[in-house]
Amino acid sequence: VGVSASLRGANGEALCNTQAGTYRMFVLLQSAAVVLILILNVAVQVITMLLAFFERHHTLAEQEKSIAFSVFAGQFVNTALVSLLVYARFDEVNTAIESALGGDSAWFPLFAGSFRDFSDGWYPVVGVQIVVTVLLNVGLPLWPIMVSWSYVKLILPRRESSAATQSDLNIMYAGSEFLLSQRYGILLNTLFTCIMYSSGMPILLLFGAFIFIISYWCDKYHLLKFAATPPQFSDRLAFWTLDMVKYAVILHLLFGCWVFSAGKDDPSIELFPRPALNSDVEAYTKSLLDSVWGCEGLSPEATCVAADNCVWSNVTAGGGL
């Protein structure tokens, strides 16, 4: 960068100045997208808590399950699917959207991106954004601890004098509510996102394990130091979470097939080429296919008829066809 800045073209402009400005704008927009995703993830937690009270569940377990699923669904769509759909390009779908909107689809950017597949150009753009978003989610377990610590250390000492009765003072020191349902939803989002994209970006498995370890210790510290005694929950939420894991495995298999069948920007080159088979294995496979299908793949016709296993030679010898 320093050398290119010192070298100037005929018009006096620094070399690569335009390219550097374009790259800086790209990094800025990508960082802004990550920050926006994190803000929306926090907003999803607050909104789902407010909406859950209007659903009027009969039991606390059903309410917690509803909150956990809503947090998971909202954050998963925001974290794992929005970037995939915005950068994806499906010409047929995009053409249909343009025709439905009268030829103007600028305000509906889905399926009008730059990548038709998980090509090698997809990973430094979309892949990096997803990885950074997942990694920054490690800060979500720290948020309740920071809020509770600030309240206990900074705000609570100033509010003690305003307590009129012992009951008011007890309420002040009761501690914050430990939201178990939100924690399940956040961890499910991390689990699904990491497992879904782990075929092409296996480092997500390491980041996911790191986030789970940090979440365990942060939740334990928050529960023992700052949180009020939570109510007694049933095991319904825990077993529902375990039941959801099988859908993460299905997503992993589907996206794994897609990722490993993807090509490079050059369609003639495979991104994950098939390793060469052993010569004996390849010969056996060819002979097995020939014994099943005859010599239909041989050309010209004379070569096919001369083959020992050719079904057409037997038909010709018998006077058929």
Side-chain angles (χ1 to χ4, degrees), residues 5 11 15 40 55 59 114 127 134 141 152 161 168 173 176 257 260 307:
N11 57 355
L15 296 179
L40 291 177
E55 295 176 352
T59 62
S114 306
V134 170
V152 172
S161 58
D168 295 337
Y173 280 90
S176 59
C257 294
F260 292 132

Side-chain angles (χ1 to χ4, degrees), residues 202-213:
I203 195 173
L204 283 175
L205 297 176
L206 178 63
F207 288 163
F210 176 71
I211 291 174
F212 272 78
I213 294 173

Side-chain angles (χ1 to χ4, degrees), residues 46-57 60 63-64 66-67 177 179:
V46 179
I47 294 173
T48 52
M49 283 292 298
L50 297 176
L51 294 178
F53 296 113
F54 290 99
E55 295 176 352
R56 305 298 182 185
H57 294 281
L60 182 60
Q63 177 179 303
E64 292 293 293
S66 174
I67 295 174
E177 182 180 4
L179 303 175

Side-chain angles (χ1 to χ4, degrees), residues 215-280:
S215 298
Y216 169 77
W217 288 107
C218 288
D219 290 344
K220 185 175 183 180
Y221 182 79
H222 180 218
L223 180 62
L224 297 179
K225 294 293 184 179
F226 300 110
T229 302
Q232 294 184 355
F233 295 100
S234 65
D235 57 359
R236 183 179 304 177
L237 182 59
F239 280 104
W240 171 81
T241 305
L242 290 176
D243 189 60
M244 290 289 291
V245 175
K246 61 185 180 184
Y247 299 107
V249 176
I250 295 175
L251 273 178
H252 172 71
L253 295 176
L254 294 177
F255 271 76
C257 294
W258 187 3
V259 166
F260 292 132
S261 63
K264 290 190 176 182
D265 293 330
D266 183 0
S268 63
I269 304 176
E270 293 184 354
L271 187 59
F272 297 95
R274 180 177 65 87
L277 295 176
N278 181 276
S279 58
D280 296 334

Side-chain angles (χ1 to χ4, degrees), residues 33-79:
V34 172
V35 173
L36 181 60
I37 289 174
L38 294 177
I39 294 175
L40 291 177
N41 283 346
V42 176
V44 166
Q45 300 180 43
V46 179
I47 294 173
T48 52
M49 283 292 298
L50 297 176
L51 294 178
F53 296 113
F54 290 99
E55 295 176 352
R56 305 298 182 185
H57 294 281
H58 296 289
T59 62
L60 182 60
E62 293 179 355
Q63 177 179 303
E64 292 293 293
K65 178 181 174 181
S66 174
I67 295 174
F69 178 77
S70 300
V71 171
F72 156 67
Q75 291 193 356
F76 179 69
V77 170
N78 190 37
T79 303

